[in-house]
Amino acid sequence: MPDLTVREYDPSPGLGRHQVLDSRSLAYRRRYDGQPIRPTAWEPRIPVLDQSNLLAQGIHTKALFNGSGVDDVDALASCTGNAAAVLLSTILTKEACAAAGLDTDNAAAAETWAIGLYADATTCDQWHQYTWPTQDCGSSGLGAAKALRARGLIDQYGHATTAEELCALLQTGPVLMGMPWYAAWDTPPANGLLDDIPDWDRSPVAGGHEVVITALEAVARIDGDLSYDHTVLRAQNSWSASWSDHGSFRFSLDLYQRLRADIDLIQPRLDGSRA
């Protein structure tokens, strides 16, 4: 077992990420060495996913895991599998997604695929004694990345820990972000910017959550250095297309900096480029 730092959150439907930091992997994080940082965006090929309202989507977990003893549930703490599915659909071609069994045209089929990946991720989380489908225990970004690699869908994954490293990773592809989720963020403003919610940091932490950062929308500098207040990122959630701005939200680098100790950033990759 590698040297892990683990921060667990109580999993609940929609929120099921635990923070797991692997010191061995972090030692090889992609450090920022001054490369250009520009606005960029990565578009997922699958529709916005919804890890709640499963039954309305025609997703029956009892049938998916026949013989496992699991009952039908209407929501899962499968955000890590969902986020990883969204990211994978961005770095693979439509044909490669189809070969992997990931339907890029049908939201319910893609959600079903993500649930299967969530199950794999819980197995890869060897620090945890539970696995789905026997227990909706949540997982980690690290577990999801390991699950993708075990399936042969990626061949590497890298980490970032600083704001500059995050922005540099986004120049080459989307990034998985595990984060604490504050209750005040459940209903973002019209522009989806979490920073604009008054006193969000005084609201309770509802749980741990995994999302995909899909864009560096605005890059601002002051005297040559990144302006954390005015550099804005966009992330895609998995709570349906009707949530916030078509399923996405925005946040500043300043918000990231404030929560940095509780966030983990992982970028699964295939040969260092989009496939």
Side-chain angles (χ1 to χ4, degrees), residues 173 175 201 235:
V175 176
D201 53 339

Side-chain angles (χ1 to χ4, degrees), residues 53-61 108 112:
N53 303 308
L54 298 180
L55 296 175
Q57 299 176 72
I59 300 172
H60 296 271
T61 50
T112 300

Side-chain angles (χ1 to χ4, degrees), residues 181-186 197-206:
W181 189 264
Y182 285 78
W185 293 342
D186 285 350
I197 300 175
D199 299 323
W200 62 262
D201 53 339
R202 297 185 182 181
S203 68
V205 174

Side-chain angles (χ1 to χ4, degrees), residues 22-102:
D22 179 355
S23 61
R24 181 178 57 189
S25 296
L26 285 172
Y28 295 96
R29 77 180 194 268
R30 299 190 173 104
R31 300 177 185 274
Y32 179 64
D33 58 7
Q35 60 266 49
I37 292 176
R38 303 183 179 93
T40 187
W42 306 93
E43 296 301 327
R45 303 184 194 281
I46 57 176
V48 178
L49 301 182
D50 186 0
Q51 63 194 86
S52 57
N53 303 308
L54 298 180
L55 296 175
Q57 299 176 72
I59 300 172
H60 296 271
T61 50
K62 185 175 182 177
L64 286 180
F65 299 97
N66 186 30
S68 65
V70 65
D71 293 324
D72 280 338
V73 296
D74 201 31
L76 282 170
S78 59
C79 56
T80 53
N82 282 61
V86 174
L87 182 142
L88 189 71
S89 80
T90 308
I91 65 174
L92 295 186
T93 63
K94 185 179 181 70
E95 293 74 21
C97 287
L102 178 56

